[in-house]
Amino acid sequence: MKTEIYSRERVENLIESGFPKNAVAISFRDRPMIANDPYCTPVRYPQGVAVYHCVADDITHDDITSGHPKAREITAESFFQDAVKMADFILEQAEKGITNFICQCEFGQSRSAGVAGAIEEFFNKNGISVFADYRYCPNQIIYNKLIKALVTQNLMRKIT
């Protein structure tokens, strides 16, 4: 399993130059705070590419616990409600033979890195490689919730 971490700008360049075959995308965008906020518009992926779109602000546990304005009305429990659905998407794609996950968020450093770390840990037992790469600061809430959901959903698939 291969994961790649992209910013919006880099993934848009990748789309223009040719999206890789046997790849799917997990794409984050923020909740709208103002009209026509460019951070809130979804990236337009090529027709036929499986994409999981997730709306989740770029916030950390510290933002939530310190009462940071951008963490308005969010708790650690309520943040990243998509974990189970995203885990199902990832597992379904892996079952189809997909081996390349393009993880994208606005700057390609936090949310996408949290997802990439969880995928790397679950499939390759190498999630630490994302945390050890100084280009990234993986969102730990996203990482922890997604790895838990991947393990749980995978077990549920084996039981049923």
Side-chain angles (χ1 to χ4, degrees):
M1 196 64 58
K2 177 181 173 188
T3 60
E4 297 180 75
I5 301 168
Y6 282 83
S7 65
R8 175 186 291 264
E9 181 180 349
R10 281 189 61 227
V11 86
E12 287 173 343
N13 290 337
L14 177 70
I15 291 167
E16 283 182 30
S17 65
F19 201 81
K21 297 199 181 325
N22 200 29
V24 297
I26 297 172
S27 181
F28 282 91
R29 66 181 189 273
D30 292 345
R31 292 178 299 163
M33 296 178 90
I34 58 172
N36 301 315
D37 189 339
Y39 296 134
C40 301
T41 57
V43 170
R44 298 179 67 130
Y45 285 87
Q47 185 84 9
V49 172
V51 181
Y52 188 92
H53 288 281
C54 184
V55 178
D57 293 334
D58 187 12
I59 59 173
T60 65
H61 188 267
D62 286 346
D63 293 333
I64 292 169
T65 57
S66 70
H68 193 283
K70 70 178 177 180
R72 61 187 191 266
E73 300 174 20
I74 296 175
T75 65
E77 293 75 31
S78 69
F79 179 66
F80 190 49
Q81 293 292 307
D82 284 42
V84 171
K85 288 180 184 176
M86 187 180 288
D88 283 335
F89 173 81
I90 292 165
L91 293 169
E92 287 167 12
Q93 298 306 313
E95 288 169 1
K96 293 177 184 177
I98 297 298
T99 58
N100 190 2
F101 286 85
I102 305 291
C103 305
Q104 172 266 314
C105 63
E106 194 61 37
F107 299 106
Q109 295 176 341
S110 179
R111 293 167 288 182
S112 56
V115 169
I119 293 170
E120 283 291 328
E121 183 61 27
F122 182 77
F123 289 103
N124 304 327
K125 305 296 182 234
N126 191 30
I128 192 68
S129 65
V130 177
F131 285 85
D133 188 328
Y134 292 117
R135 294 176 295 172
Y136 310 118
C137 50
N139 185 298
Q140 291 184 24
I141 298 174
I142 288 175
Y143 172 85
N144 285 311
K145 285 188 175 186
L146 184 56
I147 195 73
K148 179 180 178 183
L150 283 165
V151 169
T152 302
Q153 295 306 101
N154 190 52
L155 285 173
M156 294 300 291
R157 288 168 182 264
K158 290 179 179 179
I159 292 171
T160 56

